[in-house]
Amino acid sequence: MIDGSGILDADVTRARRVMAFAELGKPRVVLMVLVTTFVGFYLGSQGMPDYLRLLPTLIGTALAAAGTLALNQYIERDVDAKMHRTRQRPLPDGRLQPGEALAFGVAVTLAGLVYIALAVNALSAAVTAATTASYLFFYTPLKRRTPLCSIVGAVPGALPPLTGWTAARGAFGVEAWILFSILFLWQLPHSLAIARLYRDDYARAGIRLLPVVEPDGKSTGRQIVANCLALLVVGLLPTLVGLTGAVYFVAALILGGVFLAYGVAFALSRTVTAARQLMFVSLLYLPATLLLMALDKMPS
C-alpha cells in the first residue's frame, strides 16, 4: 500500500531543498549582474545587437554569478551564522550541508565559465573568470582583515559590463572602461551606506569594514563624498566620448548631483537615517543611469 502522506512529505522536502539551492545563488543579485551585463552588451554592439549572442552571454553570466555567490556563502558560513541579517541563509540554518554548497558552487561556476568560452568568446570568459577570482580570493578574505576590502570588492562588481561589452565587440575599448569606472565608483558609497546600517552586525562577525573600524563615521563620510563627486564627473564621460547623447549628459548631471547631495548629508550627520536614505538613492541612481545610457545611445 502506498503511503500518500509519505510521498507528499518527500515532495515537500525536495521542493525545500531546491529552494535552498536557489537561495544559495542569490537570484536578486544575479539579476542585477545580468542587467549590467546586458547594458554593456547593448552599448558595445555596433548596429543592431546580436541577440543570438546575447542569450548565451546572459546564461553563462547567470551561472557563473550564482556559483560564485554560492561559493562565497560556503567560505563565509561561519561569519553568516554570527550576523542577524545572514543567519537564516541555507548553510547557517542547516538546510544545506557545506559539502553540498561547495559542490553546487564549483559545478555551476565552471559550467558558466565553460559555456561562455564555447558559446561566446574567450575574452568574455576571461573577464567572467576574473570576476569570480577577485570576488572569492581577494575580496572575501580581505573583509576580515582591512577596510580596504570595499575598494577591492568594487572590482568584481564593476566587471559584468565588460563581459557584455567584450561579448558584443570582441575587444575592450575606452567606453568599456568608462562603464567599469561608473560601476566601480557607484559601489563604494552604496556599500559604505549598507556597512553603516549594519555596523553592529558586521562588528559581531569580525568584518572590518570602514564604519566598523572607525565608528565615528568621519572617514566613511569623506570616502562617500569623494566617490560621489568622482562619480558625478565620470558619469558624464559617456557623452564626451560619443557613446551617448546630450539627454544622457543632462540626466547624469542631475542624478549625480542628487547622489552627491545625499552623500554630503550623510557626511554631515552620519546617522542611520542618512545612511538608509543614501542607500535608497544609490539603488535608484544605478538603474536610472544605465537605462538612460541605453535609451540615449549614439548610433555606431
Side-chain angles (χ1 to χ4, degrees):
M1 181 177 179
I2 298 176
D3 186 351
S5 63
I7 294 175
L8 181 59
D9 289 344
D11 289 342
V12 170
T13 300
R14 191 177 300 111
R16 286 176 177 171
R17 284 179 57 79
V18 170
M19 290 299 295
F21 278 111
E23 186 179 338
L24 202 64
K26 294 186 177 180
R28 287 184 295 180
V29 177
V30 171
L31 178 61
M32 179 57 73
V33 170
L34 293 182
V35 168
T36 58
T37 303
F38 170 79
V39 171
F41 186 96
Y42 182 80
L43 293 174
S45 298
Q46 296 175 302
M48 285 295 295
D50 183 355
Y51 292 107
L52 293 178
R53 180 175 287 267
L54 172 63
L55 183 59
T57 301
L58 295 180
I59 292 173
T61 299
L63 289 171
T68 299
L69 292 165
L71 290 173
N72 172 256
Q73 289 184 66
Y74 167 77
I75 295 169
E76 294 193 316
R77 61 192 185 278
D78 59 328
V79 173
D80 286 345
K82 298 175 183 177
M83 297 174 61
H84 293 302
R85 64 188 291 263
T86 57
R87 62 187 180 186
Q88 297 301 317
R89 287 176 176 175
L91 288 174
D93 73 359
R95 281 178 287 154
L96 293 175
Q97 296 302 309
E100 295 175 316
L102 176 61
F104 173 81
V106 170
V108 174
T109 301
L110 289 178
L113 294 175
V114 171
Y115 185 66
I116 293 176
L118 296 177
V120 184
N121 59 48
L123 184 56
S124 295
V127 174
T128 307
T131 305
T132 294
S134 58
Y135 190 83
L136 293 178
F137 304 131
F138 293 95
Y139 171 59
T140 297
L142 285 176
K143 287 163 70 175
R144 306 193 202 193
R145 300 180 182 179
T146 172
L148 293 176
C149 64
S150 297
I151 298 174
V152 176
V155 173
L159 284 172
L162 294 187
T163 297
W165 184 281
T166 55
R169 193 165 293 197
F172 294 111
V174 172
E175 303 93 337
W177 291 111
I178 291 174
L179 292 178
F180 171 88
S181 299
I182 290 172
L183 266 291
F184 179 88
L185 292 169
W186 168 82
Q187 285 177 91
L188 294 169
H190 172 73
S191 62
L192 287 173
I194 294 174
R196 173 61 183 90
L197 283 173
Y198 299 103
R199 181 178 64 194
D200 295 341
D201 226 10
Y202 285 120
R204 186 181 301 109
I207 303 297
R208 295 179 60 79
L209 298 174
L210 189 57
V212 174
V213 174
E214 297 181 306
D216 66 4
K218 292 182 180 179
S219 294
T220 301
R222 287 195 296 269
Q223 289 296 319
I224 285 174
V225 171
N227 284 286
C228 285
L229 182 58
L231 180 60
L232 173 61
V233 176
V234 174
L236 303 177
L237 293 180
T239 296
L240 299 181
V241 300
L243 182 62
T244 57
V247 172
Y248 167 81
F249 185 91
V250 173
L253 186 61
I254 295 171
L255 289 169
V258 171
F259 199 3
L260 175 60
Y262 276 88
V264 171
F266 171 82
L268 293 175
S269 67
R270 304 191 295 277
T271 62
V272 171
T273 299
R276 185 174 290 108
Q277 291 173 342
L278 178 61
M279 183 187 69
F280 180 73
V281 169
S282 74
L283 291 173
L284 294 178
Y285 172 89
L286 186 62
T289 299
L290 296 177
L291 177 62
L292 287 163
M293 276 189 202
L295 292 176
D296 199 34
K297 176 189 175 185
M298 296 297 286
S300 57

